[in-house]
Amino acid sequence: MANYLGALDQGTTSTRFIVFDRAGHIVAQAQKEHEQIYPQQGWVEHNPLEIWHRTIEVIEEACAAAQITSGDIASIGIANQRETTVVWDRKTGTPVTNAIVWQDTRVGDSVSRLTAAGAEPLVRALTGLPLATYFSALKVRWILDHVSGARDRAENGELLFGTIDTFLLWHLTGGVRGGLHRTDVSNASRTQLMNLDTLAWDDQLLMLFDIPRCLLPEIHSSSCDMGTIAVTSLKGTGIGGMLGDQHAALVGQTCFAPGQLKNTYGTGCFLVMNTGTEKVVSRNGLLTTIAYRFGDEPVHYALEGSVAIAGALVQWLRDNLAVITSAPEIEHLASSVEDNGGVYIVPAFSGLYAPYWKQNARGIVAGLTRFANRGHLARAALEAVAYQTLDVVEAMEADAKMSFDQLRVDGGMVGNELLMQFQADILNRSVLRPAMQQTTALGAAYAAGLSSGFYQNLAELKANWSIDRTWQPSLHEARRIQLHNQWKKAVTRSFDWVDEES
Protein backbone atom coordinates (compact mmCIF):
# COMPACT_ATOMS: atom_id res chain seq x y z
CA MET A 1 0.00 0.00 0.00
CA ALA A 2 1.26 3.48 -0.87
CA ASN A 3 1.69 5.45 2.36
CA TYR A 4 3.59 8.45 1.04
CA LEU A 5 3.54 11.34 -1.41
CA GLY A 6 6.52 12.80 -3.21
CA ALA A 7 7.22 16.43 -4.11
CA LEU A 8 9.78 17.74 -6.54
CA ASP A 9 10.53 21.36 -5.61
CA GLN A 10 12.63 22.97 -8.33
CA GLY A 11 13.65 26.45 -7.20
CA THR A 12 15.79 29.30 -8.43
CA THR A 13 18.95 28.14 -6.68
CA SER A 14 18.37 24.45 -5.95
CA THR A 15 16.29 21.34 -6.55
CA ARG A 16 14.92 19.16 -3.78
CA PHE A 17 12.80 16.05 -3.51
CA ILE A 18 10.79 15.46 -0.34
CA VAL A 19 8.78 12.42 0.74
CA PHE A 20 5.79 13.24 2.96
CA ASP A 21 3.55 11.02 5.06
CA ARG A 22 -0.21 11.46 5.30
CA ALA A 23 0.10 14.00 8.13
CA GLY A 24 2.34 16.21 6.00
CA HIS A 25 5.52 15.32 7.88
CA ILE A 26 8.84 14.89 6.10
CA VAL A 27 10.01 11.29 5.84
CA ALA A 28 13.08 11.90 3.68
CA GLN A 29 14.56 14.65 1.54
CA ALA A 30 17.53 15.51 -0.64
CA GLN A 31 18.61 18.84 -2.10
CA LYS A 32 21.24 20.00 -4.61
CA GLU A 33 22.15 23.46 -5.85
CA HIS A 34 22.74 24.37 -9.48
CA GLU A 35 24.92 27.02 -11.09
CA GLN A 36 23.77 30.63 -11.43
CA ILE A 37 25.06 31.91 -14.76
CA TYR A 38 25.56 35.66 -15.37
CA PRO A 39 26.79 36.13 -18.97
CA GLN A 40 26.56 39.91 -18.76
CA GLN A 41 24.96 42.63 -16.67
CA GLY A 42 21.24 42.02 -16.21
CA TRP A 43 21.35 38.49 -17.65
CA VAL A 44 20.60 35.46 -15.46
CA GLU A 45 20.65 31.93 -16.86
CA HIS A 46 20.44 28.29 -15.78
CA ASN A 47 21.58 25.15 -17.56
CA PRO A 48 18.34 23.14 -17.97
CA LEU A 49 20.19 19.85 -18.35
CA GLU A 50 22.05 20.48 -15.08
CA ILE A 51 18.66 20.99 -13.40
CA TRP A 52 17.39 17.76 -14.98
CA HIS A 53 20.42 15.84 -13.71
CA ARG A 54 19.97 17.32 -10.23
CA THR A 55 16.33 16.22 -10.36
CA ILE A 56 17.31 12.60 -10.94
CA GLU A 57 19.94 12.77 -8.20
CA VAL A 58 17.65 14.16 -5.49
CA ILE A 59 14.87 11.69 -6.29
CA GLU A 60 17.27 8.77 -5.99
CA GLU A 61 18.96 10.07 -2.84
CA ALA A 62 15.73 10.77 -0.96
CA CYS A 63 14.18 7.43 -1.90
CA ALA A 64 17.35 5.56 -0.95
CA ALA A 65 17.54 7.35 2.40
CA ALA A 66 14.01 6.25 3.29
CA GLN A 67 14.30 2.87 1.51
CA ILE A 68 11.28 3.81 -0.56
CA THR A 69 10.33 2.39 -3.97
CA SER A 70 7.69 3.39 -6.49
CA GLY A 71 5.07 1.21 -4.83
CA ASP A 72 5.35 3.19 -1.60
CA ILE A 73 4.47 6.54 -3.17
CA ALA A 74 0.89 7.20 -4.24
CA SER A 75 1.79 10.13 -6.50
CA ILE A 76 4.24 12.98 -6.84
CA GLY A 77 3.71 16.68 -7.39
CA ILE A 78 5.97 19.24 -9.04
CA ALA A 79 6.51 22.80 -7.85
CA ASN A 80 8.83 25.06 -9.77
CA GLN A 81 10.42 28.47 -10.19
CA ARG A 82 8.03 30.31 -12.47
CA GLU A 83 8.54 32.31 -15.68
CA THR A 84 12.02 30.83 -16.26
CA THR A 85 11.99 29.93 -19.94
CA VAL A 86 13.33 26.87 -21.75
CA VAL A 87 13.17 26.07 -25.48
CA TRP A 88 14.40 22.63 -26.50
CA ASP A 89 14.58 20.20 -29.44
CA ARG A 90 11.72 17.70 -29.35
CA LYS A 91 13.86 14.99 -31.03
CA THR A 92 16.95 15.26 -28.83
CA GLY A 93 15.73 16.94 -25.63
CA THR A 94 18.61 19.40 -25.88
CA PRO A 95 17.88 23.06 -25.06
CA VAL A 96 18.75 25.46 -27.87
CA THR A 97 20.32 27.77 -25.28
CA ASN A 98 20.43 28.19 -21.50
CA ALA A 99 17.18 28.83 -19.66
CA ILE A 100 16.44 32.54 -19.24
CA VAL A 101 15.64 33.02 -15.55
CA TRP A 102 12.71 35.07 -14.26
CA GLN A 103 15.11 37.68 -12.84
CA ASP A 104 16.74 38.32 -16.25
CA THR A 105 16.24 41.82 -17.70
CA ARG A 106 17.58 41.45 -21.26
CA VAL A 107 14.15 42.10 -22.80
CA GLY A 108 13.83 45.53 -21.21
CA ASP A 109 14.03 47.30 -24.56
CA SER A 110 11.15 45.18 -25.88
CA VAL A 111 9.09 46.09 -22.82
CA SER A 112 9.71 49.78 -23.51
CA ARG A 113 8.77 49.49 -27.18
CA LEU A 114 5.55 47.59 -26.53
CA THR A 115 4.59 49.99 -23.76
CA ALA A 116 5.22 52.96 -26.04
CA ALA A 117 3.10 51.29 -28.72
CA GLY A 118 0.17 51.11 -26.29
CA ALA A 119 0.12 47.33 -25.82
CA GLU A 120 -0.02 47.26 -22.02
CA PRO A 121 -3.82 47.72 -21.56
CA LEU A 122 -4.53 44.72 -23.81
CA VAL A 123 -1.92 42.56 -22.09
CA ARG A 124 -3.19 43.46 -18.61
CA ALA A 125 -6.82 42.86 -19.59
CA LEU A 126 -6.09 39.39 -20.98
CA THR A 127 -3.43 38.16 -18.56
CA GLY A 128 -3.70 40.24 -15.37
CA LEU A 129 0.01 41.04 -15.76
CA PRO A 130 1.89 44.23 -16.65
CA LEU A 131 4.42 44.38 -19.44
CA ALA A 132 7.66 43.59 -17.64
CA THR A 133 10.91 41.69 -18.06
CA TYR A 134 9.60 39.21 -15.45
CA PHE A 135 7.35 37.01 -17.59
CA SER A 136 8.04 34.31 -20.18
CA ALA A 137 6.58 35.59 -23.45
CA LEU A 138 9.30 38.10 -24.32
CA LYS A 139 11.96 35.64 -23.17
CA VAL A 140 10.64 33.09 -25.68
CA ARG A 141 10.66 35.69 -28.42
CA TRP A 142 14.22 36.69 -27.54
CA ILE A 143 15.37 33.07 -27.92
CA LEU A 144 13.57 32.69 -31.27
CA ASP A 145 15.09 35.93 -32.55
CA HIS A 146 18.64 35.56 -31.23
CA VAL A 147 19.48 31.84 -31.40
CA SER A 148 20.50 30.95 -34.94
CA GLY A 149 17.78 29.04 -36.77
CA ALA A 150 15.50 28.87 -33.74
CA ARG A 151 12.52 30.68 -35.26
CA ASP A 152 12.47 28.55 -38.40
CA ARG A 153 12.81 25.37 -36.36
CA ALA A 154 10.03 26.52 -34.02
CA GLU A 155 7.66 27.26 -36.90
CA ASN A 156 8.46 23.83 -38.38
CA GLY A 157 7.40 22.15 -35.13
CA GLU A 158 10.91 21.00 -34.21
CA LEU A 159 11.12 22.88 -30.89
CA LEU A 160 9.16 22.94 -27.65
CA PHE A 161 8.76 25.70 -25.06
CA GLY A 162 8.07 25.33 -21.39
CA THR A 163 8.71 26.73 -17.98
CA ILE A 164 10.77 24.42 -15.77
CA ASP A 165 7.76 22.32 -14.75
CA THR A 166 7.07 21.47 -18.38
CA PHE A 167 10.70 20.70 -19.18
CA LEU A 168 11.00 18.32 -16.21
CA LEU A 169 7.63 16.67 -16.82
CA TRP A 170 8.59 16.00 -20.45
CA HIS A 171 11.82 14.32 -19.36
CA LEU A 172 10.26 12.43 -16.44
CA THR A 173 7.53 10.95 -18.63
CA GLY A 174 9.90 9.68 -21.31
CA GLY A 175 11.51 12.65 -23.04
CA VAL A 176 12.28 11.77 -26.66
CA ARG A 177 10.44 8.47 -26.10
CA GLY A 178 6.96 9.86 -25.70
CA GLY A 179 7.43 12.54 -23.05
CA LEU A 180 4.30 14.57 -22.33
CA HIS A 181 4.36 18.28 -23.15
CA ARG A 182 2.10 19.77 -20.49
CA THR A 183 1.80 22.55 -17.94
CA ASP A 184 -0.82 23.60 -15.39
CA VAL A 185 -2.96 26.72 -15.24
CA SER A 186 -0.86 28.37 -12.52
CA ASN A 187 2.35 28.19 -14.53
CA ALA A 188 0.58 29.02 -17.79
CA SER A 189 -0.81 32.17 -16.18
CA ARG A 190 2.77 33.42 -15.69
CA THR A 191 3.84 33.12 -19.31
CA GLN A 192 1.79 36.18 -20.36
CA LEU A 193 0.33 34.05 -23.15
CA MET A 194 -2.72 32.53 -21.41
CA ASN A 195 -6.11 34.24 -21.25
CA LEU A 196 -7.21 34.39 -17.59
CA ASP A 197 -10.87 33.93 -18.52
CA THR A 198 -10.66 31.12 -21.07
CA LEU A 199 -7.66 29.37 -19.43
CA ALA A 200 -6.31 28.83 -22.96
CA TRP A 201 -3.47 30.22 -25.08
CA ASP A 202 -4.69 33.46 -26.59
CA ASP A 203 -4.34 34.22 -30.32
CA GLN A 204 -4.04 37.98 -29.76
CA LEU A 205 -1.15 37.46 -27.37
CA LEU A 206 0.60 34.96 -29.60
CA MET A 207 0.38 37.46 -32.44
CA LEU A 208 1.57 40.36 -30.28
CA PHE A 209 4.61 38.45 -29.01
CA ASP A 210 5.16 36.63 -32.34
CA ILE A 211 5.24 33.11 -30.88
CA PRO A 212 4.16 30.01 -32.86
CA ARG A 213 1.36 28.07 -31.16
CA CYS A 214 3.05 24.72 -31.94
CA LEU A 215 5.76 25.58 -29.36
CA LEU A 216 3.29 25.60 -26.47
CA PRO A 217 2.38 22.81 -24.04
CA GLU A 218 -1.13 21.58 -23.23
CA ILE A 219 -2.72 23.39 -20.28
CA HIS A 220 -4.14 21.18 -17.51
CA SER A 221 -5.48 21.56 -13.98
CA SER A 222 -3.05 21.87 -11.08
CA SER A 223 -4.31 18.63 -9.58
CA CYS A 224 -4.93 15.93 -12.18
CA ASP A 225 -3.25 13.02 -13.95
CA MET A 226 -0.17 14.58 -15.55
CA GLY A 227 1.43 11.32 -16.65
CA THR A 228 3.60 8.49 -15.34
CA ILE A 229 7.29 8.56 -14.46
CA ALA A 230 9.32 6.56 -16.98
CA VAL A 231 12.77 6.91 -15.37
CA THR A 232 14.47 6.64 -11.95
CA SER A 233 13.51 4.21 -9.19
CA LEU A 234 10.05 5.80 -9.16
CA LYS A 235 9.28 4.42 -12.63
CA GLY A 236 5.56 3.72 -12.86
CA THR A 237 4.59 6.34 -10.24
CA GLY A 238 1.95 8.84 -11.29
CA ILE A 239 2.51 12.58 -11.42
CA GLY A 240 -0.69 14.06 -10.02
CA GLY A 241 0.06 17.69 -9.25
CA MET A 242 1.83 20.67 -10.75
CA LEU A 243 1.98 24.23 -9.43
CA GLY A 244 4.19 27.27 -9.71
CA ASP A 245 6.13 27.56 -6.48
CA GLN A 246 4.17 30.47 -4.99
CA HIS A 247 0.83 28.85 -5.83
CA ALA A 248 2.10 25.63 -4.26
CA ALA A 249 3.01 27.50 -1.08
CA LEU A 250 -0.52 28.93 -0.95
CA VAL A 251 -1.88 25.38 -1.10
CA GLY A 252 0.70 24.15 1.42
CA GLN A 253 -0.43 26.90 3.81
CA THR A 254 -4.03 25.68 3.21
CA CYS A 255 -5.17 29.15 2.17
CA PHE A 256 -8.27 27.85 0.43
CA ALA A 257 -10.71 30.56 1.53
CA PRO A 258 -11.03 33.94 -0.21
CA GLY A 259 -9.05 36.55 1.72
CA GLN A 260 -6.44 34.15 3.11
CA LEU A 261 -2.87 35.06 2.22
CA LYS A 262 0.71 33.95 2.69
CA ASN A 263 4.16 35.39 2.10
CA THR A 264 7.11 33.29 0.96
CA TYR A 265 10.61 34.57 1.75
CA GLY A 266 13.01 32.99 -0.72
CA THR A 267 15.28 34.37 -3.42
CA GLY A 268 12.48 36.84 -3.95
CA CYS A 269 9.46 37.59 -1.79
CA PHE A 270 5.95 36.65 -2.89
CA LEU A 271 2.73 37.65 -1.19
CA VAL A 272 -0.30 35.79 -2.56
CA MET A 273 -3.96 36.15 -1.56
CA ASN A 274 -6.68 33.73 -2.58
CA THR A 275 -9.58 35.70 -4.11
CA GLY A 276 -11.72 32.61 -4.77
CA THR A 277 -13.49 32.12 -8.07
CA GLU A 278 -13.61 35.89 -8.57
CA LYS A 279 -10.92 37.54 -10.68
CA VAL A 280 -9.95 40.76 -8.89
CA VAL A 281 -8.41 43.38 -11.16
CA SER A 282 -5.57 45.21 -9.44
CA ARG A 283 -5.45 48.99 -9.54
CA ASN A 284 -2.47 49.25 -7.20
CA GLY A 285 0.40 47.53 -8.96
CA LEU A 286 -0.35 43.91 -8.11
CA LEU A 287 -0.74 40.91 -10.39
CA THR A 288 -4.02 39.15 -11.03
CA THR A 289 -3.14 35.51 -11.48
CA ILE A 290 -4.32 31.93 -11.06
CA ALA A 291 -4.14 30.45 -7.57
CA TYR A 292 -4.87 26.82 -8.55
CA ARG A 293 -7.43 24.54 -10.12
CA PHE A 294 -8.22 21.16 -8.59
CA GLY A 295 -9.56 18.64 -11.10
CA ASP A 296 -12.69 19.86 -12.84
CA GLU A 297 -13.60 22.34 -10.10
CA PRO A 298 -13.77 26.05 -10.92
CA VAL A 299 -10.43 27.80 -11.05
CA HIS A 300 -9.40 29.92 -8.05
CA TYR A 301 -7.78 33.28 -8.71
CA ALA A 302 -5.29 35.23 -6.65
CA LEU A 303 -3.73 38.65 -6.18
CA GLU A 304 0.03 38.59 -5.97
CA GLY A 305 2.74 41.03 -5.08
CA SER A 306 6.13 39.90 -6.38
CA VAL A 307 9.36 41.27 -4.91
CA ALA A 308 12.44 40.39 -6.95
CA ILE A 309 15.12 40.51 -4.25
CA ALA A 310 14.76 39.14 -0.71
CA GLY A 311 17.09 36.30 0.25
CA ALA A 312 19.16 37.25 -2.80
CA LEU A 313 20.11 40.44 -0.94
CA VAL A 314 21.68 38.36 1.83
CA GLN A 315 23.55 36.36 -0.82
CA TRP A 316 24.79 39.64 -2.32
CA LEU A 317 26.16 40.79 1.04
CA ARG A 318 27.91 37.41 1.34
CA ASP A 319 29.19 36.85 -2.19
CA ASN A 320 29.76 40.37 -3.55
CA LEU A 321 30.69 42.43 -0.49
CA ALA A 322 31.94 39.70 1.91
CA VAL A 323 30.05 41.39 4.76
CA ILE A 324 29.22 37.87 5.99
CA THR A 325 30.70 34.46 5.14
CA SER A 326 27.47 32.48 5.38
CA ALA A 327 23.80 33.46 5.16
CA PRO A 328 22.88 32.48 8.75
CA GLU A 329 25.47 34.95 10.09
CA ILE A 330 23.36 37.91 9.06
CA GLU A 331 20.98 37.64 12.01
CA HIS A 332 23.81 37.77 14.56
CA LEU A 333 25.47 40.67 12.76
CA ALA A 334 22.20 42.59 12.42
CA SER A 335 21.51 42.02 16.11
CA SER A 336 24.81 43.67 17.04
CA VAL A 337 23.20 47.10 16.51
CA GLU A 338 20.07 48.55 18.09
CA ASP A 339 18.52 49.73 14.83
CA ASN A 340 19.42 50.45 11.22
CA GLY A 341 21.35 53.61 12.11
CA GLY A 342 19.41 55.50 9.46
CA VAL A 343 20.66 53.17 6.69
CA TYR A 344 18.26 51.83 4.03
CA ILE A 345 19.01 49.41 1.21
CA VAL A 346 16.65 49.35 -1.77
CA PRO A 347 17.61 46.14 -3.64
CA ALA A 348 16.39 47.11 -7.10
CA PHE A 349 19.14 45.05 -8.75
CA SER A 350 16.94 44.23 -11.75
CA GLY A 351 14.39 47.00 -11.30
CA LEU A 352 11.50 47.07 -8.86
CA TYR A 353 8.56 44.69 -9.07
CA ALA A 354 5.28 45.12 -7.19
CA PRO A 355 3.79 47.54 -6.49
CA TYR A 356 6.08 49.94 -8.40
CA TRP A 357 7.02 48.12 -11.62
CA LYS A 358 9.99 50.37 -12.33
CA GLN A 359 12.28 48.47 -14.66
CA ASN A 360 14.70 51.41 -14.79
CA ALA A 361 15.20 51.50 -11.01
CA ARG A 362 18.50 50.25 -9.59
CA GLY A 363 19.69 49.34 -6.14
CA ILE A 364 20.83 52.01 -3.72
CA VAL A 365 22.15 52.35 -0.17
CA ALA A 366 20.79 55.52 1.43
CA GLY A 367 21.37 57.32 4.73
CA LEU A 368 25.06 56.49 5.14
CA THR A 369 27.08 58.39 7.75
CA ARG A 370 30.44 57.75 9.43
CA PHE A 371 28.44 56.09 12.20
CA ALA A 372 27.26 53.27 9.90
CA ASN A 373 29.00 49.89 10.13
CA ARG A 374 28.63 46.28 8.92
CA GLY A 375 25.89 45.65 11.45
CA HIS A 376 23.79 48.50 10.11
CA LEU A 377 24.16 47.18 6.55
CA ALA A 378 23.09 43.71 7.68
CA ARG A 379 20.09 45.09 9.54
CA ALA A 380 19.13 47.33 6.61
CA ALA A 381 19.20 44.29 4.32
CA LEU A 382 16.81 42.32 6.53
CA GLU A 383 14.56 45.33 7.03
CA ALA A 384 14.41 45.88 3.25
CA VAL A 385 12.66 42.52 2.93
CA ALA A 386 10.07 43.54 5.52
CA TYR A 387 9.53 47.00 4.02
CA GLN A 388 8.97 45.54 0.55
CA THR A 389 6.39 43.18 2.06
CA LEU A 390 4.64 46.14 3.70
CA ASP A 391 4.45 47.95 0.35
CA VAL A 392 2.73 44.92 -1.17
CA VAL A 393 0.37 44.41 1.80
CA GLU A 394 -0.85 48.01 1.56
CA ALA A 395 -1.51 47.59 -2.17
CA MET A 396 -3.29 44.29 -1.56
CA GLU A 397 -5.56 45.77 1.09
CA ALA A 398 -6.48 48.57 -1.29
CA ASP A 399 -7.28 46.15 -4.13
CA ALA A 400 -9.15 43.64 -2.00
CA LYS A 401 -10.94 46.36 -0.01
CA MET A 402 -10.25 44.54 3.24
CA SER A 403 -7.63 44.57 5.98
CA PHE A 404 -5.73 41.58 7.35
CA ASP A 405 -4.86 40.92 10.97
CA GLN A 406 -2.32 38.15 10.37
CA LEU A 407 0.19 36.97 7.79
CA ARG A 408 1.17 33.33 7.25
CA VAL A 409 4.85 33.05 6.32
CA ASP A 410 7.14 30.42 4.88
CA GLY A 411 10.38 30.06 2.96
CA GLY A 412 14.06 29.97 3.78
CA MET A 413 14.19 33.27 5.67
CA VAL A 414 11.45 32.61 8.21
CA GLY A 415 13.97 31.05 10.58
CA ASN A 416 15.44 34.52 11.04
CA GLU A 417 13.87 35.67 14.30
CA LEU A 418 14.97 39.29 13.95
CA LEU A 419 13.43 39.57 10.50
CA MET A 420 10.15 38.01 11.58
CA GLN A 421 9.82 40.31 14.60
CA PHE A 422 10.56 43.37 12.48
CA GLN A 423 8.05 42.15 9.92
CA ALA A 424 5.37 42.02 12.61
CA ASP A 425 6.45 45.44 13.90
CA ILE A 426 6.43 47.26 10.57
CA LEU A 427 3.21 45.57 9.43
CA ASN A 428 1.58 46.12 12.84
CA ARG A 429 0.06 42.64 12.44
CA SER A 430 0.65 39.13 13.74
CA VAL A 431 3.08 36.96 11.78
CA LEU A 432 2.43 33.20 11.88
CA ARG A 433 5.05 30.58 11.05
CA PRO A 434 3.62 27.08 10.46
CA ALA A 435 5.09 23.95 12.00
CA MET A 436 5.82 22.62 8.50
CA GLN A 437 7.86 25.28 6.75
CA GLN A 438 8.48 23.43 3.48
CA THR A 439 5.10 24.61 2.28
CA THR A 440 6.02 24.83 -1.41
CA ALA A 441 6.88 21.15 -1.63
CA LEU A 442 3.96 20.29 0.66
CA GLY A 443 1.52 22.13 -1.62
CA ALA A 444 2.73 20.16 -4.64
CA ALA A 445 2.33 16.95 -2.66
CA TYR A 446 -1.18 17.96 -1.57
CA ALA A 447 -2.19 18.58 -5.21
CA ALA A 448 -0.91 15.12 -6.13
CA GLY A 449 -2.64 13.61 -3.10
CA LEU A 450 -6.01 15.06 -4.04
CA SER A 451 -5.90 13.82 -7.64
CA SER A 452 -4.71 10.34 -6.67
CA GLY A 453 -7.32 9.83 -3.94
CA PHE A 454 -4.67 9.80 -1.21
CA TYR A 455 -6.68 12.65 0.32
CA GLN A 456 -10.45 12.85 -0.02
CA ASN A 457 -11.02 16.56 0.58
CA LEU A 458 -9.52 19.87 1.65
CA ALA A 459 -10.58 19.35 5.25
CA GLU A 460 -7.90 16.66 5.62
CA LEU A 461 -5.26 19.12 4.47
CA LYS A 462 -6.46 21.89 6.78
CA ALA A 463 -6.26 19.48 9.71
CA ASN A 464 -2.52 19.06 9.06
CA TRP A 465 -1.76 22.79 9.38
CA SER A 466 -0.50 24.03 12.76
CA ILE A 467 1.42 27.02 14.13
CA ASP A 468 5.06 26.79 15.17
CA ARG A 469 5.43 30.39 16.34
CA THR A 470 3.60 33.72 16.31
CA TRP A 471 5.23 37.16 16.41
CA GLN A 472 3.21 40.10 17.73
CA PRO A 473 3.96 43.74 16.87
CA SER A 474 5.69 45.71 19.62
CA LEU A 475 6.90 48.87 17.85
CA HIS A 476 5.58 52.26 18.92
CA GLU A 477 3.27 53.66 16.24
CA ALA A 478 5.12 56.96 15.84
CA ARG A 479 8.40 55.11 15.31
CA ARG A 480 6.80 52.73 12.83
CA ILE A 481 5.48 55.63 10.75
CA GLN A 482 8.86 57.38 10.86
CA LEU A 483 10.72 54.30 9.65
CA HIS A 484 8.20 53.65 6.90
CA ASN A 485 8.38 57.25 5.65
CA GLN A 486 12.17 57.05 5.44
CA TRP A 487 11.87 53.78 3.49
CA LYS A 488 9.47 55.34 1.00
CA LYS A 489 11.88 58.25 0.53
CA ALA A 490 14.71 55.81 -0.17
CA VAL A 491 12.61 53.89 -2.70
CA THR A 492 11.93 57.03 -4.73
CA ARG A 493 15.69 57.68 -4.94
CA SER A 494 16.10 54.40 -6.86
CA PHE A 495 13.61 55.33 -9.60
CA ASP A 496 14.71 56.04 -13.19
CA TRP A 497 18.36 55.37 -12.47
CA VAL A 498 18.83 53.86 -15.94
CA ASP A 499 18.15 56.24 -18.80
CA GLU A 500 15.88 54.93 -21.55
CA GLU A 501 18.58 55.65 -24.14
CA SER A 502 21.08 53.37 -22.40
Side-chain angles (χ1 to χ4, degrees):
M1 180 179 177
N3 295 314
Y4 306 109
L5 292 167
L8 179 64
D9 180 6
Q10 202 300 299
T12 305
T13 58
S14 68
T15 304
R16 76 180 79 197
F17 186 75
I18 301 181
V19 179
F20 291 98
D21 64 16
R22 189 175 298 275
H25 298 144
I26 294 175
V27 175
Q29 63 178 314
Q31 181 175 2
K32 287 183 178 290
E33 294 187 354
H34 57 268
E35 184 183 6
Q36 306 298 305
I37 304 167
Y38 307 102
Q40 56 182 278
Q41 185 175 351
W43 292 29
V44 188
E45 298 180 355
H46 293 156
N47 180 342
L49 292 180
E50 181 190 9
I51 290 176
W52 166 234
H53 295 149
R54 295 290 178 265
T55 296
I56 296 173
E57 291 167 2
V58 295
I59 289 175
E60 297 293 8
E61 287 184 18
C63 290
Q67 298 183 321
I68 283 173
T69 64
S70 59
D72 299 315
I73 294 184
S75 183
I76 79 161
I78 299 173
N80 58 285
Q81 54 167 316
R82 307 170 300 171
E83 299 96 17
T84 296
T85 299
V86 189
V87 176
W88 70 97
D89 189 306
R90 68 163 68 235
K91 291 185 178 179
T92 67
T94 304
V96 300
T97 188
N98 280 335
I100 301 179
V101 178
W102 58 273
Q103 300 160 310
D104 190 286
T105 62
R106 73 185 68 184
V107 298
D109 58 343
S110 296
V111 171
S112 298
R113 284 195 296 269
L114 285 171
T115 301
E120 173 137 8
L122 173 67
V123 173
R124 270 195 179 272
L126 295 176
T127 70
L129 310 174
L131 280 170
T133 61
Y134 187 12
F135 309 106
S136 307
L138 285 172
K139 293 176 169 63
V140 179
R141 189 169 83 175
W142 190 96
I143 291 173
L144 297 185
D145 290 342
H146 289 81
V147 175
S148 179
R151 182 165 291 280
D152 288 340
R153 294 173 65 195
E155 291 173 350
N156 290 334
E158 299 174 27
L159 303 181
L160 301 174
F161 151 70
T163 41
I164 295 293
D165 58 308
T166 299
F167 181 73
L168 294 182
L169 179 76
W170 187 82
H171 278 284
L172 284 169
T173 56
V176 297
R177 298 177 180 84
L180 299 175
H181 189 214
R182 295 174 173 175
T183 191
D184 90 295
V185 290
S186 71
N187 279 294
S189 74
R190 312 297 294 196
T191 63
Q192 210 156 53
L193 295 171
M194 189 192 81
N195 187 305
L196 275 188
D197 295 315
T198 65
L199 308 183
W201 304 121
D202 189 273
D203 287 333
Q204 292 183 84
L205 295 169
L206 294 178
M207 183 178 298
L208 176 69
F209 293 112
D210 196 16
I211 295 173
R213 180 179 283 273
C214 58
L215 267 180
L216 306 178
E218 301 171 0
I219 301 175
H220 290 252
S221 289
S222 310
S223 177
C224 69
D225 179 7
M226 281 285 189
T228 302
I229 296 178
V231 294
T232 77
S233 58
L234 293 183
K235 183 177 181 179
T237 303
I239 301 172
M242 184 180 286
L243 289 154
D245 51 10
Q246 305 312 319
H247 316 259
L250 191 76
V251 173
Q253 289 272 31
T254 66
C255 293
F256 300 128
Q260 288 187 311
L261 72 162
K262 66 86 197 175
N263 197 29
T264 298
Y265 300 76
T267 302
C269 212
F270 303 90
L271 189 73
V272 183
M273 183 186 74
N274 189 333
T275 62
T277 55
E278 177 188 358
K279 183 181 72 173
V280 176
V281 177
S282 175
R283 305 188 189 285
N284 293 278
L286 302 182
L287 310 179
T288 302
T289 191
I290 301 294
Y292 53 79
R293 188 184 187 192
F294 296 148
D296 295 328
E297 295 179 7
V299 68
H300 277 236
Y301 293 94
L303 281 172
E304 176 177 330
S306 305
V307 171
I309 302 295
L313 180 54
V314 177
Q315 294 173 331
W316 178 74
L317 289 179
R318 179 194 66 191
D319 300 338
N320 294 53
L321 301 189
V323 171
I324 52 176
T325 58
S326 66
E329 289 178 24
I330 194 167
E331 182 172 7
H332 175 73
L333 181 58
S335 299
S336 69
V337 293
E338 292 184 3
D339 55 31
N340 66 7
V343 177
Y344 292 81
I345 300 177
V346 182
F349 296 155
S350 54
L352 287 170
Y353 288 4
Y356 303 103
W357 297 106
K358 298 282 189 180
Q359 68 166 355
N360 292 330
R362 286 298 179 269
I364 65 166
V365 181
L368 287 175
T369 65
R370 287 289 299 272
F371 173 71
N373 60 34
R374 293 168 60 245
H376 295 115
L377 282 176
R379 193 170 189 113
L382 293 180
E383 291 184 357
V385 176
Y387 284 125
Q388 291 178 102
T389 297
L390 173 59
D391 289 343
V392 174
V393 165
E394 290 186 334
M396 195 162 283
E397 288 183 327
D399 276 339
K401 297 180 174 58
M402 64 175 71
S403 59
F404 316 111
D405 59 1
Q406 61 177 231
L407 178 67
R408 297 186 181 190
V409 299
D410 55 67
M413 299 186 78
V414 299
N416 190 306
E417 307 274 336
L418 188 152
L419 170 60
M420 292 296 99
Q421 181 58 57
F422 187 75
Q423 186 69 88
D425 286 341
I426 204 67
L427 282 177
N428 201 28
R429 295 165 177 81
S430 302
V431 171
L432 281 59
R433 184 174 68 193
M436 171 48 64
Q437 293 165 38
Q438 300 295 344
T439 54
T440 299
L442 183 62
Y446 279 168
L450 289 170
S451 69
S452 65
F454 190 80
Y455 295 115
Q456 298 304 310
N457 51 53
L458 300 184
E460 292 185 62
L461 310 184
K462 293 176 185 177
N464 285 346
W465 191 85
S466 61
I467 297 173
D468 170 54
R469 179 163 178 189
T470 300
W471 286 269
Q472 301 291 352
S474 59
L475 189 65
H476 192 278
E477 180 66 7
R479 178 61 172 160
R480 189 182 73 83
I481 293 171
Q482 179 190 30
L483 290 172
H484 190 203
N485 286 340
Q486 288 294 109
W487 162 257
K488 288 189 286 188
K489 183 188 295 185
V491 169
T492 63
R493 300 295 194 270
S494 74
F495 291 171
D496 302 317
W497 193 264
V498 178
D499 295 330
E500 289 288 343
E501 294 75 15
S502 64

